[in-house]
């Protein structure tokens, strides 16, 4: 499988076979990292990270991961670079392509990452946009695969806001053959283009994709319950209104008791305890949730090793 030079902007750009390859590579890289035999396959390569929004996991996992692969990283925050304001995105892309071997961007408009990739001559990675968070979903799939020793045939239910994480989860799960349901209030569904893509992908992988408005009904038979914040970065002013709208979608002990006996709960983090997830549920699933956070690093090492 040769993915050299490819961008990693949307899971919709990848086939089931390609995602499967990246997940296997992530497992191999994780095992090698743990046993201290990881080869420095990106020796002296430079990764530039651009952040127009805050981050803990994405920044540290990319920087650490690149170093573990033998390369270097440099982080630029919004106040330093002012993406798309100080100069055009096209010019920024052409300049950074002269210094870097790969650029990761976390920003608001998804089209800004696409615009950057159009002009960059090095691979561009989406580190979260308002529309999607593909690197997160690679870590999630890796975590699920490690826990259940398979992906196909499992049922994942996301309860909460049909946001960037939900959009990417739909696509990733459908491509990998998991049944996926988004349980959300009316008006907060995932974006239509992701739902449509996932439904088409599911026809080929034999999985099911659905949107539900009743979270208790949705989680029946779920092996994985997933949630994320109710107000994403950039939606802070809507936070108190959203607390009311989403309260029946909280992942709590009662909701978990409606799922399969083997259910695990995942959260991309940061978590707002007693909002989208209770303290009790988060702590009962802490082992797997923090493994999920660690897996960001291994999944992204696989992505970088494959495309750079
Ligand atoms: N899950 C995730 O992307 O975390 P950060 O926002 O801290 O990077
Ligand atoms: N939906 C969240 C994800 C954070 C990792 C946000 O965009 O803020």
């Amino acid at each position: 499988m040769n993915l050299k030079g490819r961008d990693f902007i949307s899971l919709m750009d990848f086939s089931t076979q390609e995602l499967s390859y990246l997940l296997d590579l992530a497992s191999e890289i994780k095992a090698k990292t743990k046993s201290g035999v990881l080869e420095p396959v990106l020796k002296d390569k430079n990764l530039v990270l651009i952040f127009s929004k805050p981050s803990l996991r994405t920044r540290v996992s990319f920087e650490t991961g690149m170093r573990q692969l033998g390369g270097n990283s440099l982080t630029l925050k919004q106040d330093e670079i002012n993406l798309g304001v100080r100069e055009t995105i096209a010019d920024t892309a052409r300049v950074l392509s002269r210094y870097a071997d790969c650029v990761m961007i976390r920003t608001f408009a998804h089209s800004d990452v696409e615009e950057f990739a159009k002009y960059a001559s090095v691979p561009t990675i989406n580190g979260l946009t308002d529309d999607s968070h593909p690197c997160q979903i690679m870590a999630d799939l890796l975590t699920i695969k490690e826990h259940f020793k398979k992906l196909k045939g499992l049922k994942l239910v996301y309860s909460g806001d049909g946001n960037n994480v939900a959009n990417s989860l739909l696509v990733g799960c459908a491509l990998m053959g998991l049944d996926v349901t988004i349980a959300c209030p009316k008006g907060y569904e995932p974006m239509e283009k992701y739902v449509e893509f996932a439904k088409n992908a599911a026809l080929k992988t034999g999985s099911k994709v659905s949107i539900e408005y009743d979270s208790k009904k949705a989680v029946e038979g779920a092996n994985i319950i997933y949630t994320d914040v109710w107000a994403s970065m950039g939606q802070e002013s809507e936070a108190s209104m959203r607390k009311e709208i989403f309260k029946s979608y909280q992942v709590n002990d009662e909701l978990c008791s409606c799922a399969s006996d083997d259910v695990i709960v995942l959260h991309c983090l940061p978590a707002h305890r007693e909002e989208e997830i209770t303290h009790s549920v988060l702590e009962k699933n802490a082992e797997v949730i923090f493994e999920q956070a660690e897996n960001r690093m291994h999944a992204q090492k696989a992505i970088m090793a494959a495309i750079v």
Side-chain angles (χ1 to χ4, degrees):
M1 181 81 59
N2 184 2
L3 301 177
K4 291 282 172 222
R6 291 271 294 272
D7 296 315
F8 195 83
I9 294 179
S10 171
L11 296 178
M12 296 192 286
D13 301 332
F14 290 83
S15 65
T16 298
Q17 290 70 25
E18 288 169 339
L19 290 189
S20 200
Y21 165 78
L22 287 172
L23 290 170
D24 288 346
L25 184 61
S27 298
E28 183 190 325
I29 284 180
K30 181 174 182 178
K32 284 184 173 172
T33 306
K34 301 265 178 200
S35 51
V37 296
L38 184 66
E39 301 92 354
V41 291
L42 296 184
K43 192 170 174 344
D44 297 332
K45 299 283 185 193
N46 273 320
L47 168 71
V48 169
L49 302 154
I50 298 175
F51 286 95
S52 310
K53 290 177 175 176
S55 168
L56 172 68
R57 280 145 291 271
T58 303
R59 177 174 176 181
V60 180
S61 59
F62 264 108
E63 291 209 18
T64 308
M66 190 47 157
R67 208 144 314 135
Q68 289 176 358
L69 289 170
N72 309 298
S73 66
L74 176 73
T75 289
L76 299 169
K77 301 208 351 206
Q78 183 63 4
D79 55 343
E80 294 159 324
I81 176 166
N82 238 333
L83 185 68
V85 178
R86 189 161 176 262
E87 57 193 308
T88 66
I89 289 177
D91 287 353
T92 307
R94 285 177 289 183
V95 170
L96 285 179
S97 298
R98 302 291 177 122
Y99 305 137
D101 300 288
C102 181
V103 179
M104 187 233 77
I105 306 178
R106 164 170 289 195
T107 194
F108 296 87
H110 189 76
S111 56
D112 284 357
V113 178
E114 291 175 332
E115 170 86 354
F116 187 99
K118 184 173 157 196
Y119 289 95
S121 57
V122 297
T124 303
I125 298 177
N126 172 1
L128 179 148
T129 66
D130 289 345
D131 291 13
S132 60
H133 198 2
C135 293
Q136 178 66 53
I137 276 55
M138 294 306 284
D140 303 340
L141 291 169
L142 176 61
T143 310
I144 295 167
K145 197 173 152 209
E146 285 174 350
H147 185 87
F148 290 101
K149 315 283 176 237
K150 63 173 187 177
L151 289 173
K152 216 172 158 50
L154 295 170
K155 175 176 175 180
L156 182 147
V157 177
Y158 173 101
S159 181
D161 184 21
N163 61 15
N164 43 10
V165 169
N167 288 334
S168 293
L169 261 179
L170 274 173
V171 174
C173 289
L175 280 170
M176 296 313 296
L178 289 89
D179 290 348
V180 54
T181 300
I182 306 294
C184 61
K186 283 218 161 73
Y188 292 87
E189 295 89 352
M191 290 166 72
E192 196 51 40
K193 74 170 178 181
Y194 292 90
V195 179
E196 279 312 303
F197 183 97
K199 284 189 172 162
N200 280 325
L203 290 177
K204 292 182 205 129
T205 60
S207 72
K208 292 193 213 91
V209 171
S210 61
I211 310 293
E212 277 280 352
Y213 299 103
D214 178 341
S215 61
K216 277 202 188 125
K217 202 172 135 217
V219 299
E220 277 170 25
N223 309 102
I224 306 116
I225 297 178
Y226 195 120
T227 192
D228 181 20
V229 292
W230 290 338
S232 284
M233 292 179 275
Q235 297 174 331
E236 290 78 6
S237 65
E238 296 175 25
S240 61
M241 177 189 87
R242 283 170 168 265
K243 270 186 213 171
E244 275 307 302
I245 295 170
F246 288 101
K247 65 183 177 205
S248 64
Y249 295 86
Q250 184 187 64
V251 177
N252 50 33
D253 286 312
E254 195 192 341
L255 187 73
C256 294
S257 71
C258 303
S260 168
D261 289 341
D262 66 356
V263 71
I264 57 166
V265 176
L266 295 180
H267 194 308
C268 57
L269 303 177
H272 292 166
R273 289 159 197 250
E274 305 311 323
E275 291 184 25
E276 77 278 358
I277 189 166
T278 57
H279 177 75
S280 159
V281 169
L282 198 152
E283 289 306 325
K284 280 180 196 155
N285 291 275
E287 184 79 21
V288 70
I289 289 173
F290 293 107
E291 193 73 27
Q292 179 189 9
E294 176 183 331
N295 281 341
R296 289 293 302 278
M297 187 169 66
H298 305 301
Q300 289 157 193
K301 275 186 283 184
I303 294 165
M304 291 191 288
I307 68 176
V308 178

